[in-house]
Each structure stands twice: as C-alpha cells, then as structure tokens.
Amino acid sequence: MADQVSGYGKKPLWQWILIYVVVGGIIYFLIYYFVLAPKGGYSKSGGGDYNYGNTK
C-alpha cells in the first residue's frame, strides 16, 4: 500500500501532529516557567506567619 502524500510533504500527518504537540508543550512550559510561575506559587521564604483559621 502506498503512503499518501498530503500538503505537508513526505512525512505522514500523524508525525506532524506529534511535532506540533511536542513543540507546543515546550512553548507552554517555557511561558509558564518564565512568566506565570514567578508571580505565584509556594515559596520557602517570606515569613511564615500564616493564619489558617486558628483564631485562638
């Protein structure tokens, strides 16, 4: 059975989808790591005087 050639060249469509998913995941990770993560999350420094509902 011959491989179907689409507008993407000689690679099958599933390989292009896999490439897009991997590259998209890397870009998402980089944006999260450098843009979103420094604004929030947990930190080991910063006091520690938290009020968790204990009003004694």
Side-chain angles (χ1 to χ4, degrees), residues 2-51:
D3 290 333
Q4 294 181 0
V5 178
S6 63
Y8 288 102
K10 295 183 179 181
K11 292 185 192 251
L13 183 61
W14 68 269
Q15 285 183 349
W16 284 109
I17 293 172
L18 183 65
I19 290 170
Y20 287 141
V21 168
V22 170
V23 171
I26 292 170
I27 291 172
Y28 175 80
F29 172 76
L30 291 174
I31 291 173
Y32 175 80
Y33 186 77
F34 289 111
V35 177
L36 299 176
K39 293 182 180 179
Y42 299 104
S43 66
K44 291 184 178 180
S45 63
D49 187 22
Y50 300 109
N51 184 5

